[in-house]
Amino acid sequence: MTASTSDKPHLLVRNRNFRALFISSTAGIFGNAVASVALPVIAAVELHASDFEVAALAGMTFLPWLLFGLVIGVWVDRLPRRPVMVWSLIVRIAALASLPLAYWSGSLSVALLFIVAFLAGVTSVFFTLADQAMVQQAVTKDELMEGNGLITGSGAAADAAGRSMAGWLTSSAGASNSLLIEVGTSVVSLVAVRRLDVAEIVPDKTEHRIFREMADGMRYTFSTAPLRAILYNAALWNLGGNIAASLIVLLVLRTLNESQVWLGLLLAAASIGGTVGGVTVTALGKRFGSGPLWRWSMVPGVLGYASLLVMTPGWGMLPGLAGMFIMGASVAWNIVIGISFRQRVCPPGMMGRLGAASRTVSWGMLAIAAVAAGVLAEAFGVRTAMLIGIGIALAAPVVAMLGPLRKVQRLEDLDQGPDPVRDERAASIPPR
């Protein structure tokens, strides 16, 4: 007799490589959350930067994805991923540590702030693409959804905690000094990554030129109906959803004349929902099927954003809290299933390029959405602009339910390829 699935030790207990990746990801997200609050405060309070400089700073960490994402994806597929992760963390630690040092020495400037933010964004591209490829090689295909769910849920909780702590730290210890938290969490990530012991699958060196390999990655991203459907779903949601998300600050602080406390509660509710979504996705996928869960997940997400439009001052903000919680959970379900499927079907030698191409398309929508939100708010007002964004976001579940995956019960069944991690584990078990 064999032990049932429920009798197995938890994934964090039975898989030391996944445990290292989990610790590294959680620590990194916590530190990034602190920095995402601290950097604009440094610009606005400590350096008295202009409104344009403060706004532009927020885009520095995403700009490398648009400029270098496809190229870095090629490099990540050519190299062993663990050293890529280690060196990206070392460079990140050095870059971030330069800001408190510059502050203490009186040499901190807006230019240095932009350089460090951009460099941190570049290291994030390297680390993120290598990290996803390592998850693929650290767990079996059947463990992917559980593993990604745990990472997503823990990341959402770490993000909420980091943003909450950052507000207190920037006022009590100073914004520049608070960056020492991210330096410390990056060191934790580095220690965890160095403990990885994964038999990496690195393709043989080829004579392909880098632009050809970039094109191969983009072509593979659109090569099958399931991959296209998942990408279109994510891109539409990011475009519409981020229009709404970009206007939450204006809605709460100016339209409703509410305090920053309510704004923080709304954002925290979304992060808590993401935590719940991440830890429940595996069970829900088994109960209802990953296909239906993926197709319907964005419907409650759209309703969650729509709840913001019925908010009124005071206790009338409660529908928004519930809606943001639901939205966070639904997005987590969708992301975990989509990422797990791509990791499941993608050849290890293509994982970096697939991740880069997917993010260039879907995360590129985030930049477009931010600009569109401002234009729409100026032209039609905040509420109408949010309604337009919600209408665009609604196209995401519609495309999912009418697309090529509309009748698929389990996305895992679409994959008929071998499982290198499972085969390696089986080979390591001595015969009886």
Side-chain angles (χ1 to χ4, degrees), residues 220-389:
Y220 182 79
T221 304
F222 291 91
S223 63
T224 67
L227 288 176
R228 289 194 299 271
I230 290 172
L231 181 60
Y232 295 153
N233 175 267
L236 286 169
W237 175 261
N238 284 347
L239 177 60
N242 204 51
I243 289 175
S246 298
L247 296 171
I248 291 177
V249 174
L250 293 175
L251 178 69
V252 173
L253 301 184
R254 294 186 179 177
T255 303
L256 298 176
N257 293 315
E258 273 295 348
S259 69
Q260 294 177 350
V261 173
W262 278 111
L263 176 62
L265 289 173
L266 287 171
L267 298 178
S271 296
I272 295 170
T275 302
V276 173
V279 300
T280 59
V281 64
T282 301
L284 292 174
K286 291 178 179 178
R287 174 67 177 83
F288 300 105
S290 58
L293 182 59
W294 176 79
R295 289 193 296 272
W296 286 94
S297 60
M298 288 310 189
V299 173
V302 171
L303 296 176
Y305 271 134
S307 70
L308 299 175
L309 297 176
V310 302
M311 290 192 308
T312 57
W315 293 109
M317 302 291 288
L318 291 179
L321 286 180
M324 291 299 284
F325 174 85
I326 293 170
M327 185 278 299
S330 68
V331 170
W333 296 330
N334 186 276
I335 289 175
V336 169
I337 294 173
I339 289 177
S340 299
F341 179 79
R342 284 199 295 263
Q343 291 172 330
R344 189 180 186 98
V345 302
C346 182
M350 184 66 74
M351 195 64 220
R353 283 169 285 174
L354 174 62
S358 300
R359 279 176 165 77
T360 297
V361 174
S362 61
W363 286 15
M365 293 296 104
L366 298 175
I368 295 173
V371 175
V375 172
L376 291 171
E378 288 287 337
F380 305 109
V382 172
R383 288 184 182 275
T384 302
M386 291 190 74
L387 183 60
I388 293 172

Side-chain angles (χ1 to χ4, degrees), residues 16-336:
R16 65 184 292 256
N17 285 315
F18 175 77
R19 185 165 61 249
L21 290 169
F22 176 87
I23 293 171
S24 170
S25 174
T26 304
I29 290 173
F30 180 84
N32 288 342
V34 172
S36 68
V37 176
L39 288 175
V41 173
I42 293 172
V45 176
E46 296 181 354
L47 297 175
H48 306 289
S50 67
D51 290 346
F52 172 78
E53 288 170 332
V54 175
L57 180 63
M60 284 296 101
T61 54
F62 286 101
L63 186 59
W65 283 100
L66 295 175
L67 297 180
F68 311 126
L70 293 174
V71 177
I72 292 175
V74 173
W75 289 341
V76 168
D77 279 342
R78 289 180 172 183
L79 301 169
R81 279 61 179 259
R82 180 177 174 273
V84 169
M85 297 170 73
V86 168
W87 280 106
S88 66
L89 286 168
I90 290 173
V91 173
R92 184 179 187 87
I93 290 168
L96 291 169
S98 70
L99 292 178
L101 291 174
Y103 175 73
W104 298 335
S105 65
S107 59
L108 184 61
S109 66
V110 173
L112 178 61
L113 198 60
F114 270 73
I115 292 170
V116 170
F118 183 81
L119 186 57
V122 173
T123 64
S124 178
V125 177
F126 275 103
F127 184 89
T128 300
L129 295 178
D131 179 66
Q132 283 208 353
M134 286 295 283
V135 170
Q136 181 198 42
Q137 298 184 39
V139 301
T140 67
K141 291 183 176 182
D142 291 337
E143 293 170 335
L144 279 170
M145 190 178 297
E146 180 184 2
N148 284 313
L150 289 170
I151 289 174
T152 299
S154 175
D159 184 74
R163 290 177 187 274
S164 300
M165 177 179 286
W168 173 76
L169 282 173
T170 54
S171 61
S172 62
S176 291
N177 291 331
S178 67
L179 286 176
L180 293 174
I181 296 294
E182 184 168 15
V183 173
T185 57
S186 296
V187 171
V188 173
S189 292
L190 178 60
V191 172
V193 169
R194 287 181 61 84
R195 293 178 63 84
L196 285 170
D197 183 20
V198 176
E200 294 195 54
I201 301 173
V202 180
D204 295 333
K205 294 185 181 297
T206 67
E207 297 181 357
H208 291 170
R209 299 190 178 188
I210 192 166
F211 290 108
R212 178 174 176 180
E213 293 186 47
M214 288 167 57
D216 288 343
M218 187 63 76
R219 189 160 44 246
Y220 182 79
T221 304
F222 291 91
S223 63
T224 67
L227 288 176
R228 289 194 299 271
I230 290 172
L231 181 60
Y232 295 153
N233 175 267
L236 286 169
W237 175 261
N238 284 347
L239 177 60
N242 204 51
I243 289 175
S246 298
L247 296 171
I248 291 177
V249 174
L250 293 175
L251 178 69
V252 173
L253 301 184
R254 294 186 179 177
T255 303
L256 298 176
N257 293 315
E258 273 295 348
S259 69
Q260 294 177 350
V261 173
W262 278 111
L263 176 62
L265 289 173
L266 287 171
L267 298 178
S271 296
I272 295 170
T275 302
V276 173
V279 300
T280 59
V281 64
T282 301
L284 292 174
K286 291 178 179 178
R287 174 67 177 83
F288 300 105
S290 58
L293 182 59
W294 176 79
R295 289 193 296 272
W296 286 94
S297 60
M298 288 310 189
V299 173
V302 171
L303 296 176
Y305 271 134
S307 70
L308 299 175
L309 297 176
V310 302
M311 290 192 308
T312 57
W315 293 109
M317 302 291 288
L318 291 179
L321 286 180
M324 291 299 284
F325 174 85
I326 293 170
M327 185 278 299
S330 68
V331 170
W333 296 330
N334 186 276
I335 289 175
V336 169

